Structure formats: C-alpha cells, structure tokens
Amino acid sequence: MSNKNLVLVICGHQGYIRHIDEDRDYGPENDILFSAISQTYLPLVNLLNKLKDDGISFKISLVLSPILCSLLSDAIIQEQYIQWLDRRIAFGEKEVLRLKGDSLLLKNAEACLEKAKQDKIDFEECYNRNLLREFSRLAKSGNVELLATAGSYAFLPHYSDMTEVLNAQIETGIYSHKYFFGSAPEGFWLPYMGYSDGIEKNLRSYGINYTILDSHGILFSKETPDFGIFKPVRSNNSLVLFARDEETPSDIENPEFGYMNNPVYKAQNRDVCFELSSSEIMDFIPENKARANSLYRYWAREKENSVVYDKSVALEQAKKDAISFLTAKNNKLNEAAKLIEGDVSLVCTLDASVLGQDWAEGIYWLENVIRENKESSFVSCSSLIVNQFKLPKITPYVSANSGTGYGEDLLDSSNSWMIRYTRKMGERMVDLAERFPSDTGLKARLLNLGAKELMLAQSAEWPKMIHDGNFPEYVEDYFKSCVLAFTAVFDSLGSNTVSTEWLTSLEKKHCLFPWMNYRIFSKKI
C-alpha cells in the first residue's frame, strides 16, 4: 500500500527595518516586526513546543530569512520589543477600565491584555529573548526542517544573468543559516518562488539538494512530468524539485471562500488605537506621532464590523476549517494514489503572516491541522528524496508565486525604477571585488559596507511594499539611502579618501551580516 504524505512549509521573512534612534522606536515601521513576533513567531514556538511535549508526531518545514534572523537576534530590537509590550500592557489596563460598563468588549480587552502579559513572560523568562535558539532546538529534535533562503530575500530572476550577484545572495543565505542554526541546509527556498533558467546551477554548486517551485514551473516544463505535482522530479544537474499545491494559499486567503475570511473570525484590520480620540491614546501614542497597532481588536470580520468578536465561536470554526482542509488534501492524495504507483505527496506552502498576523486564529487552525490528521503523514521534503539520481529529469518553466505566477508585481510601473540601480550597483560591486582582491583594514571595511548596502537594496520586500502601498514613502527613502551609501563607498575607493566617522556610523546602523566578506562577489573560476 502506498504512503500518502503532506509537507507543510511555512515561510517567514521581513524587510530590514531597524530604527534604533529614540524618535523612531515606536514608529509604525518597527511595529511590523514587533506585531509579527507577538502574533506569529512567539505563538508558533509555543505551539511547536506544546505539540512536542504532548507527544504528537509531526514534522513541518520552516523558512526564516537571514534578515528576519538578524532582527530577532538583535539585542537592541529585543529590548525595544519588551518596551513595546510594556506600552501595550499599560494601554490594555486603561482599556479594561474604559470598557468596564460593556461586558462583551471588556472580555475581549481582558483577553488582549492577558495575551500581552503572557507574551512578555514567554519571551523574556521562558525563552530568554532567544526565539532562534528554540527553532534550532526543534530542528535538532527532528520536528522542524529549516530551509535556507537568499541573503536579503532578493527576487533571483531579476539577476539571473549576473552569476556573481546570484552567488552572493545564495552564499550569504547559506552562511547565515549555518551561523544561526549551526548546520548546513539541504533545501533552499527561492524568494517569492522566483525561478528562471540557470538558477538551479547556482544552487547546486553550493551543495543545495532541493527547492520548491510554483506548480506551473513544473507542469509547464519542456518534458511533461508523469506524476504531476505528486512526486518530486529533478533538473538536468539533479537538483530535486518539488511543486507546491496551487490551491492551498487560495483555500486560506481567497476573499470569497478562503478560511481566514469567515465572518466569525477576528477583524485584524480594526484596531481600537485608530478609533479612539487623541486624548484617549495620549499615553500610548505621543502627540503628533503616527498611530500604530495596539493589537487590541474587539470585532469580528462580519461585513459591517458591528459584531463583537466571540473567541469560543471563532476557535470552534477554526477547528472545523482545519478538518475541512485536511479532508480536501487527503482526498486529493487518495485520488492521486489511484492513478500513481508508489508513494504520493503534496507540498502545502503558507506565508507566516497567515498564522496570526492576517488571521488571528491561524495558529489554532494549524494546531488542529496537525492534531487531527489521521489519514496521511506529515513529513519533510528531504525525507521524500529517494533514489535522487533516478528521478525523472525536466527543464523547469519560469515561474513565481507572486503576481499572476511570474513576479510581475515586483517589476511594474510603480517600482521598476529601482532595478536599474541595483543592477548597476551589482556590476560595480563585482568590479570592486576584482580590483581589490586582498585588501584589508579601512578599504576592506568600506568594501564590506558596500556589499551590505547592495544586498539591502536588492531585497524584494521593497518593490513588493511599494506595489502593495505599504509605507511607500518610507521604502523609497530607505532604498535611496542604500544607493547613496553604496555610491559613497564607490567614490571613496576611487578617490582613496573616506570619512571614518561616516563609515563607523553606518556600520553601527546596519549590524546585519557581521561575517560579510565582499569577496563573495568575486568571479569564481
């Protein structure tokens, strides 16, 4: 009898937004990361530890981008997060007093306050502010498989003709994985699943064994795969390729029928901080400062946003949706097993933001997906690779999981102006690495800073945020600052003069990739 396997892959990534000056500590940009910690990463650690302690047999795959890891491990960011929680606890205590005359709203305010207090205990006392260590421990126990990804989450097809730039992104991602988790990755997550011809050669040259493509990247290949998306295949250089289940994101996020849009779930877009008067939030948001999420949300997603959120009803629905999800996926595997000889598998990918940030009940849904699955097995992609060099060969088709399947939202009329800078910076960085192959001291520091500024500018988060309308003015200013800093590095090397004060200040500002060596942009023989 054939085995039926489900692979759950959760992808977590974050733009490099790190404000350490006092005026910006609690700005809406920093709020993106802090909200993600409270709503996704901390609850995910709690859930996985709970399942492990309960003796539940499970395995999930997890992508934590190098930039996200750098932020989560940053002592200044960790301290800011504690202060961020303290402010929300103080705000919640005032909310409880304000709502004492409304039992339904009061119940929700108390639950939000209790969550903020528990988050502080979990983060500071249970995990000693070190979430990465917990993920690493879960990986060593065999419950989590960690995949590497590109150094600054760049959309690799934009640089597919620039071998040294591709190598630098891949090498930085792999080194970061080893730095934070102490092991070499077997799988590599392509940012936004962006694939174009030739990327498999770069991945394989660094010892990567497998990656995951959007389904049409495999189904539209030159050689038709006999088993569709239900078995892995390989590229011409034997990089193993898995196809994701195209329906999973739609099952969850579709505005019309997606699970997360059920009207009983919490309305994540209705935060009380944006509804109270300025005087009522004066202690929480300083005067003349932009409002930020408090995470105090009391309403259901019901169309008119007039129904108070009922947690018990929402959790009951989340369990039903988990069972519905499992039924659909297991039925799909059963149908495939009737037509395909041997084991069949289905790779389901989720963006981490779905688990808590966009869908408040997403973590509870995931828990029930894992607990209620009795018909198939949760496994990792690596465990499905058997007789690797006998797998069918295909030539994958260009693909992505962004836009309509080709990443066109990352290069459209709103953001296309950015790529001419990053490509020119890439050309110059390769040239610099060739011109200064063995420099040390101040020049090496300059070159390493230039490499960091280039990689930060290449992050696909920036064009994505501009396209989606998320802080576009901030992103544009930040991107331009990266370009200007790189240009200053380039000019300083040309004129053989540099301001050490300027260099030191930027090194402190961008403390990611402490191992950075500009020679990763050198041409490989």
Side-chain angles (χ1 to χ4, degrees):
M1 185 176 178
S2 62
N3 295 318
K4 304 176 191 65
N5 302 300
L6 278 174
V7 180
L8 286 179
V9 184
I10 300 169
C11 179
H13 55 94
Q14 169 77 31
Y16 190 71
I17 299 175
R18 180 180 182 264
H19 293 303
I20 58 175
D21 52 299
E22 190 173 342
D23 289 341
R24 303 297 295 274
D25 273 359
Y26 307 112
E29 300 93 356
N30 273 354
D31 183 65
I32 296 173
L33 174 64
F34 298 149
S35 295
I37 294 173
S38 277
Q39 296 179 101
T40 297
Y41 300 111
L42 191 53
L44 184 58
V45 167
N46 287 337
L47 170 60
L48 297 178
N49 279 326
K50 178 183 176 183
L51 293 169
K52 183 173 177 289
D53 293 343
D54 289 349
I56 304 297
S57 177
F58 72 95
K59 182 116 183 183
I60 68 166
S61 298
L62 185 61
V63 182
L64 298 172
S65 71
I67 284 179
L68 175 60
C69 290
S70 294
L71 291 170
L72 291 177
S73 64
D74 189 320
I76 294 177
I77 295 294
Q78 292 168 354
E79 180 59 34
Q80 284 184 341
Y81 176 62
I82 293 296
Q83 296 172 15
W84 183 87
L85 286 173
D86 285 339
R87 293 174 64 247
R88 274 149 186 78
I89 291 170
F91 177 77
E93 289 170 345
K94 292 186 176 182
E95 276 293 278
V96 168
L97 292 176
R98 183 179 73 86
L99 297 170
K100 62 183 180 180
D102 189 322
S103 60
L104 292 178
L105 292 180
L106 176 61
K107 184 178 180 181
N108 279 292
E110 289 174 336
C112 293
L113 175 59
E114 181 59 32
K115 170 74 165 59
K117 290 179 177 178
Q118 190 60 50
D119 284 347
K120 184 177 180 180
I121 293 171
D122 290 342
F123 186 75
E124 198 161 26
E125 299 179 19
C126 296
Y127 304 131
N128 196 28
R129 304 187 179 190
N130 195 339
L131 296 184
L132 295 183
R133 182 183 60 193
E134 292 302 306
F135 285 122
S136 182
R137 188 175 64 83
L138 286 159
K140 290 174 182 175
S141 72
N143 296 111
V144 170
E145 178 169 49
L146 294 165
L147 283 74
T149 189
S152 62
Y153 215 72
F155 189 66
L156 300 186
H158 287 171
Y159 309 98
S160 59
D161 60 329
M162 305 176 76
T163 301
E164 292 75 28
V165 171
L166 278 183
N167 285 341
Q169 282 285 346
I170 293 168
E171 187 171 331
T172 301
I174 293 172
Y175 198 101
S176 172
H177 191 279
K178 293 177 181 178
Y179 180 87
F180 289 113
F181 303 116
S183 62
E186 187 168 355
F188 192 94
W189 177 269
L190 297 171
Y192 296 102
M193 284 191 178
Y195 171 81
S196 61
D197 185 42
I199 289 177
E200 70 280 1
K201 297 175 185 176
N202 301 77
L203 292 177
R204 201 72 174 123
S205 69
Y206 281 96
I208 295 299
N209 209 30
Y210 75 86
T211 190
I212 303 168
L213 301 183
D214 195 82
S215 58
H216 69 278
I218 288 178
L219 296 178
F220 292 178
S221 62
K222 189 179 296 184
E223 305 82 6
T224 304
D226 293 334
F227 307 116
I229 66 173
F230 298 101
K231 282 181 181 285
V233 291
R234 61 176 171 142
S235 64
N236 287 325
N237 65 347
S238 292
L239 177 72
V240 179
L241 306 170
F242 291 87
R244 74 158 179 165
D245 174 44
E246 191 75 20
E247 296 174 351
T248 295
S250 183
D251 290 339
I252 296 171
E253 302 175 48
N254 188 282
E256 295 180 9
F257 58 79
Y259 298 131
M260 63 180 279
N261 292 303
N262 191 297
V264 304
Y265 291 139
K266 183 179 285 188
Q268 293 292 77
N269 62 345
R270 187 175 177 185
D271 192 293
V272 71
C273 184
F274 293 92
E275 300 186 353
L276 297 177
S277 66
S278 298
S279 60
E280 290 176 301
I281 62 169
M282 189 177 299
D283 294 335
F284 180 61
I285 301 292
E287 191 174 359
N288 298 323
K289 295 289 184 180
R291 298 198 180 202
N293 285 306
S294 66
L295 302 191
Y296 285 80
R297 297 158 182 170
Y298 312 142
W299 306 94
R301 285 181 182 264
E302 185 268 337
K303 189 173 294 186
E304 302 300 325
N305 276 161
S306 58
V307 176
V308 177
Y309 175 69
D310 188 326
K311 184 176 180 179
S312 61
V313 172
L315 295 187
E316 183 180 344
Q317 183 61 46
K319 185 172 184 178
K320 292 178 181 176
D321 286 340
I323 293 172
S324 173
F325 175 83
L326 284 170
T327 300
K329 301 311 167 191
N330 285 323
N331 285 345
K332 199 169 185 177
L333 284 171
N334 289 332
E335 290 301 312
K338 295 177 183 177
L339 303 171
I340 298 173
E341 184 179 346
D343 298 346
V344 292
S345 59
L346 196 60
V347 179
C348 302
T349 64
L350 307 170
D351 194 288
S353 63
V354 168
L355 303 177
Q357 298 164 69
D358 300 332
W359 184 13
E361 298 77 12
I363 287 287
Y364 186 75
W365 170 87
L366 177 64
E367 177 179 358
N368 281 279
V369 166
I370 294 173
R371 287 185 183 275
E372 297 295 326
N373 188 28
K374 305 294 190 295
E375 197 172 336
S376 56
S377 302
F378 284 115
V379 300
S380 63
C381 285
S382 60
S383 66
L384 297 174
I385 301 174
V386 180
N387 295 326
Q388 176 174 351
F389 299 102
K390 293 184 178 180
L391 292 174
K393 283 187 178 181
I394 68 163
T395 304
Y397 193 71
V398 59
S399 56
N401 68 358
S402 186
T404 60
Y406 301 96
E408 68 277 10
D409 56 332
L410 304 175
L411 187 64
D412 63 9
S413 59
S414 69
N415 52 38
S416 60
W417 59 272
M418 305 172 84
I419 195 169
R420 63 177 177 268
Y421 292 101
T422 57
R423 287 182 61 86
K424 176 55 72 174
M425 290 162 69
E427 291 173 1
R428 287 183 168 182
M429 192 66 233
V430 173
D431 178 58
L432 290 173
E434 291 296 303
R435 286 166 52 196
F436 302 96
S438 56
D439 280 81
T440 58
L442 200 60
K443 280 188 178 179
R445 287 173 59 191
L446 264 177
L447 289 160
N448 288 338
L449 177 64
K452 289 184 185 182
E453 296 291 346
L454 165 58
M455 297 196 79
L456 283 173
Q458 288 176 327
S459 174
E461 288 296 298
W462 310 138
K464 182 69 172 174
M465 290 176 73
I466 288 179
H467 174 84
D468 294 344
N470 294 331
F471 304 111
E473 296 85 4
Y474 166 81
V475 170
E476 184 171 335
D477 288 344
Y478 187 93
F479 178 83
K480 288 179 178 178
S481 72
C482 291
V483 175
L484 290 172
F486 179 88
T487 303
V489 167
F490 187 78
D491 291 344
S492 295
L493 289 165
S495 62
N496 205 29
T497 58
V498 63
S499 166
T500 54
E501 182 180 354
W502 171 82
L503 175 60
T504 302
S505 67
L506 271 187
E507 287 175 331
K508 289 181 178 179
K509 181 180 178 183
H510 295 161
C511 63
L512 81 168
F513 308 148
W515 60 83
M516 177 58 73
N517 187 322
Y518 69 92
R519 296 173 185 85
I520 61 174
F521 285 94
S522 299
K523 294 180 179 179
K524 308 295 190 294
I525 298 176

